């Protein structure tokens, strides 16, 4: 796959991303190795929004999301969140502690954390 400047984009999954990024990055998932325009680095995906970046020793470089998703074979819905049957968008106002709890429950996704907390609250407790 080529980017706009004719440089080749190559993604290896899983590859050897620890050659480029030794430590885990909080809030990111290392998904492989990306080579772009002769530069290689770890391919990281942010948990909260799914944005991909190239990482080298903690330095993050932005990437064209459309090209990365195309190279990975991910659908072209421009990063839109998945639609749920009967779901709807609602704004909620939470304190910092509640946000941290929801992020922890939802693996970085606040909405998922809220849904899991509500689901666990409505399930009957075995006595």
């Amino acid at each position: 796959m080529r980017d706009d400047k004719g440089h080749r984009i190559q993604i290896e999954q899983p590859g050897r991303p620890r050659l480029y990024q030794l430590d885990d990055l909080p809030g990111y998932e290392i998904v492989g190795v990306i080579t772009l325009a002769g530069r290689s680095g770890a391919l990281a995906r942010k948990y909260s929004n799914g944005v991909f970046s190239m990482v080298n020793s903690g330095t993050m470089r932005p990437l064209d999301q459309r090209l990365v998703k195309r190279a990975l074979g991910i659908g072209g819905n421009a990063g839109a969140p998945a639609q749920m049957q009967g779901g709807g968008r609602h704004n909620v106002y939470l304190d910092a502690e509640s946000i941290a709890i929801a992020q922890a429950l939802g693996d970085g996704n606040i909405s998922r954390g809220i849904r899991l907390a509500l689901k666990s609250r409505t399930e009957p407790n075995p006595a």
Side-chain angles (χ1 to χ4, degrees), residues 54-101:
M54 182 192 302
V55 185
N56 288 80
S57 301
T59 303
M60 301 191 86
R61 291 185 176 89
L63 297 169
D64 185 331
Q65 301 302 299
R66 295 167 299 172
L67 295 174
V68 173
K69 287 180 179 182
R70 193 177 317 141
L72 289 171
I74 297 173
N77 61 354
Q83 298 292 317
M84 290 185 284
Q85 186 70 24
R89 183 171 178 84
H90 298 279
N91 292 330
V92 295
Y93 190 81
L94 302 171
D95 59 272
E97 181 182 7
S98 297
I99 291 171
I101 292 168

Side-chain angles (χ1 to χ4, degrees), residues 36-52:
L36 171 64
R39 291 184 173 180
S40 294
L43 179 63
R45 187 182 68 81
K46 191 169 185 175
Y47 285 121
S48 63
N49 59 11
V51 171
F52 292 95

